[in-house]
């Protein structure tokens, strides 16, 4: 996910035409590097900050934040559900062998049904997130 954010940021930086502003005073350069390099690095830093702010304020930047927060929520919800399923399976395995055989088939049916419902719900939510990126007319 970090790769996608970095890729989106690089694309937006390239396309939004960041404006260079006058460099702010920079600390004195160490003797090994000339002051021109430090000035150039300061100018690049300001351009990056300017572009970052323009991206945050743009409609695409806002949509990107929305999509990322939805994906994060979806991720954590899926992890929580998986942990619940694991806890239920562990509790079931701790039952006696005879009870395990008697309840195993019922649990498997229930588990498949719940997984199916959760899959459908998560798929609907994923489709909703994907629709945020769809071109809007």
């Amino acid at each position: 996910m970090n790769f996608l954010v970095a890729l989106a940021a690089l694309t937006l930086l390239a396309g939004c035409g960041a404006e260079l502003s006058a460099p702010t005073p920079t600390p004195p350069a160490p003797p090994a590097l000339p002051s021109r390099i430090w000035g150039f690095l300061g100018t690049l830093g300001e351009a990056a900050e300017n572009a970052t702010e323009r991206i945050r304020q743009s409609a695409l930047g806002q949509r990107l934040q929305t999509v990322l927060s939805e994906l994060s929520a979806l991720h954590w919800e899926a992890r929580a559900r998986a942990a619940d399923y694991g806890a239920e399976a562990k509790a079931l395995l701790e039952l006696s062998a005879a009870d395990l055989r008697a309840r195993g088939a019922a649990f498997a049916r229930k588990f498949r049904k719940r997984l199916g419902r959760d899959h459908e719900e998560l798929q609907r939510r994923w489709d909703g997130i994907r629709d945020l990126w769809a071109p809007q007319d």
Side-chain angles (χ1 to χ4, degrees):
M1 187 155 79
N2 288 339
F3 174 74
L4 292 175
V5 172
L7 182 61
L10 287 174
T11 302
L12 291 171
L13 282 173
C16 76
E19 298 173 10
L20 295 177
S21 59
T24 57
T26 57
L33 293 175
S35 62
R36 286 178 46 195
I37 292 176
W38 286 110
F40 178 71
L41 291 176
T43 303
L44 284 178
E46 287 182 28
E49 288 175 17
N50 184 7
T52 301
E53 190 58 35
R54 288 180 67 188
I55 289 169
R56 283 187 186 126
Q57 294 174 358
S58 71
L60 183 59
Q62 297 298 321
R63 282 178 53 189
L64 179 63
Q65 284 292 358
T66 302
V67 168
L68 289 176
S69 65
E70 286 291 324
L71 284 174
S72 178
L74 192 63
H75 164 78
W76 288 109
E77 186 174 339
R79 282 188 68 163
R81 288 183 185 187
D84 290 344
Y85 297 152
E88 287 181 26
K90 181 179 177 184
L92 183 65
L93 290 174
E94 290 173 352
L95 297 173
S96 67
D99 200 22
L100 179 63
R101 279 191 289 275
R103 294 183 182 198
F107 177 76
R109 283 190 303 274
K110 177 183 169 186
F111 188 66
R112 277 193 296 272
K113 188 182 288 185
R114 284 178 63 191
L115 280 176
R117 281 194 312 258
D118 287 347
H119 175 264
E120 290 172 7
E121 180 186 344
L122 293 175
Q123 185 66 43
R124 276 194 313 272
R125 289 180 64 191
W126 170 251
D127 290 342
I129 292 170
R130 192 177 56 204
D131 290 345
L132 290 174
W133 284 103
Q136 297 175 355
D137 297 325

